[in-house]
Amino acid sequence: MTIAVLIVAAGRGTRAGGALPKQWRTVAGQPVARWTVQAFQAVGAVTMVIHPDDRDIATATLAGLDVRLVDGGADRAGSVRNGLEAMAEDAPELVLIHDCARPCADHPLIQGVIDALASHDGAAAALAVTDALWTGDGGAVTGTRDRTGLYRAQTPQGFRYDKILAAHRAHPGGAADDVQVARDAGLTIAITPGSERNLKITGPEDFARAAKLLESRMDIRLGNGFDVHAFEAGDHVWLCGVKVPHTHALKGHSDADVGMHAVTDAIYGALAEGDIGRHFPPSDPQWKGCESHVFLRHAVELATSKGYVINNVDCTLICERPKVGPHAAAMMARMGEIMGLRPDQVSVKATTSERLGFTGREEGIAAIATATLVKA
Ligand SMILES: Nc1ccn([C@@H]2O[C@H](COP(=O)(O)OP(=O)(O)OP(=O)(O)O)[C@@H](O)[C@H]2O)c(=O)n1
Ligand SMILES: C[C@](O)(CO)[C@H](O)COP(=O)(O)O
């Protein structure tokens, strides 16, 4: 089943107030929109509908994340329709539609919707109403309502893509959400477990609530990696994805990129997933001469598939020569590109070992690295 994700972020957030629409404001250390995308990036390709005026801020906010941006519409339904139309050329089988303003969506909530789509045309998260319901006027209670069978609708709301696209195309407008659009087209929608944590940031007070939820659930993992490669005859070395001219080459089964290997092992370590040798055995001839970005990308994909995002990596190269400083910016840029991280999330630096030991005698290069991963 191909699943795509449509995140609606074209609203103005007028009720939330503030200088910026709520989806671009920072909560628990990063913009709301980044939290929301990270919660879904393991599910499938992400399309986000944005207000046309927000293209620059959206691009900057989402740097390093794989998100396609599409212009939204005048209301939520119009935005969803634009997003669905934009997916038509490479149509998925299923689509999950989610409010960008709900950054605390978690894995069980999302999986519940996906599982229900195995047997329904649509499925959406909701919570049964548990409080008594009143009507009121002028600050006084005027009556009570039966809460039996009432639910508070949330997102994600998931559908067979072709059916929800057809339903939106046929809809006259004015729907509260995509479940209403789908039901008006005759689709049956399963209710899946919603979560009190899955709040929609609506008013100014919701930012503090969302921050508390995001901070309290943080599952932070730290991994370390260490690698050594010896010199052999040659005229360049590969370090953190950059070809550096040198009087020797590094010897190895792959391209011997000692820095990239250390970072890759740090990510595997944070996931308790062994090391490069476990995933790419040196005894297997298919990895001979392999470019090390293959290993690093695998580690990043493994992290993503387990619901983690990489928060930062830090790598120290230990050698007398070549001098790393002139190449450090290019190394950080290349590593960031491979991992989908912003430049300020990647650090590459170097030290000598004061001419002591094997690195001091210029017999090879060593690298140590750390990586922090956060559960999205
Ligand atoms: N024309 C619109 C209106 C809303 N949304 C999105 O729909 C979600 C839920 O809407 P809501 O919370 O009402 O957001 P806003 O419309 O931004 O808020 P407000 O009504 O306070 O302006 C939000 O992620 C919002 O960005 C959208 O994509 N396009
Ligand atoms: C779709 C929705 O999140 C369901 O609760 C909600 O209807 C969207 O927000 P709005 O405030 O109604 O625009």
Side-chain angles (χ1 to χ4, degrees), residues 15-17 21 41 47 126 156 162 178 185 212 219 247 259 268 309 335 350:
R15 286 170 291 175
Q41 62 187 1
T47 297
D162 55 345
D178 305 296
K212 228 176 187 175
D219 170 0
T247 52
Y268 285 137
V309 295
M335 296 285 281

Side-chain angles (χ1 to χ4, degrees), residues 12-368:
R12 300 289 74 198
T14 45
R15 286 170 291 175
L20 287 175
K22 56 194 178 188
Q23 56 272 34
W24 314 126
R25 286 173 57 183
T26 293
V27 164
Q30 63 172 0
V32 170
R34 282 190 82 85
W35 284 113
T36 308
V37 170
Q38 286 168 354
F40 282 88
Q41 62 187 1
V43 174
V46 176
T47 297
M48 181 181 281
V49 280
I50 55 163
H51 193 282
D53 293 350
D54 288 354
R55 195 153 277 268
D56 287 349
I57 194 169
T59 304
T61 299
L62 302 170
L65 296 174
D66 193 7
V67 180
R68 176 183 184 196
L69 299 178
V70 171
D71 284 346
D75 59 11
R76 189 183 180 285
S79 293
V80 172
R81 166 99 188 253
N82 285 6
L84 292 173
E85 296 285 2
M87 292 173 172
E89 251 181 44
D90 190 16
E93 283 158 273
L94 303 177
V95 60
L96 299 193
I97 304 171
H98 187 70
D99 296 329
C100 193
R102 296 185 188 269
C104 309
D106 58 17
H107 182 69
L109 177 98
I110 297 167
Q111 197 57 47
V113 173
I114 294 172
D115 289 347
L117 287 173
S119 50
H120 295 82
D121 287 334
L127 286 170
V129 171
T130 52
D131 295 323
L133 290 179
W134 300 333
T135 52
D137 194 17
V141 177
T142 55
T144 54
R145 292 283 182 272
D146 184 5
R147 67 193 151 190
T148 313
L150 291 185
Y151 287 84
R152 291 189 281 141
Q154 298 189 333
T155 65
Q157 300 183 353
F159 307 92
R160 307 214 150 260
Y161 169 78
D162 55 345
K163 297 206 168 171
I164 192 65
L165 176 61
H168 266 278
R169 283 178 176 167
H171 204 270
D177 62 6
D178 305 296
V179 164
Q180 186 179 351
V181 172
R183 291 197 69 256
D184 289 347
L187 305 184
T188 303
I189 311 299
I191 299 173
T192 65
S195 164
E196 289 293 353
R197 300 172 63 89
N198 184 29
L199 87 162
K200 180 164 73 68
I201 297 177
T202 302
E205 68 287 353
D206 292 330
F207 288 95
R209 288 175 60 208
K212 228 176 187 175
L213 289 165
L214 290 165
E215 280 158 4
S216 71
R217 76 162 188 205
M218 274 185 186
D219 170 0
I220 299 174
R221 287 169 171 245
L222 181 70
N224 68 62
F226 175 72
D227 195 29
V228 173
H229 282 269
F231 283 129
E232 63 177 7
D235 61 6
H236 68 272
V237 290
W238 282 98
L239 293 175
C240 293
V242 173
K243 186 177 177 180
V244 179
H246 191 48
T247 52
H248 291 82
L250 287 173
K251 190 175 170 183
H253 188 69
S254 65
D255 62 10
D257 189 331
V258 63
M260 205 178 285
H261 294 181
V263 171
T264 305
D265 274 352
I267 297 170
Y268 285 137
L271 297 169
E273 278 283 352
D275 59 12
I276 296 179
R278 175 163 139 198
H279 298 277
F280 300 92
S283 54
D284 187 337
Q286 68 171 309
W287 308 122
K288 177 124 187 74
C290 182
E291 293 181 13
S292 296
H293 63 82
V294 171
F295 312 147
L296 183 55
R297 284 184 212 279
H298 177 266
V300 172
E301 278 161 21
L302 192 58
T304 303
S305 72
K306 288 171 167 259
Y308 289 93
V309 295
I310 298 170
N311 190 58
N312 76 299
V313 300
D314 181 20
C315 177
T316 302
L317 298 165
I318 305 163
C319 57
E320 302 293 330
R321 291 184 313 126
K323 289 298 166 206
V324 170
H327 306 283
M331 292 174 182
M332 290 187 274
R334 177 66 181 139
M335 296 285 281
E337 188 189 338
I338 295 168
M339 290 183 283
L341 298 181
R342 298 186 311 271
D344 70 328
Q345 293 176 294
V346 183
S347 156
V348 176
K349 55 199 193 304
T351 185
T352 70
S353 54
E354 300 292 339
R355 298 241 155 243
L356 297 171
F358 69 90
T359 52
R361 292 190 297 272
E362 298 195 42
E363 293 167 5
I365 299 181
I368 55 170

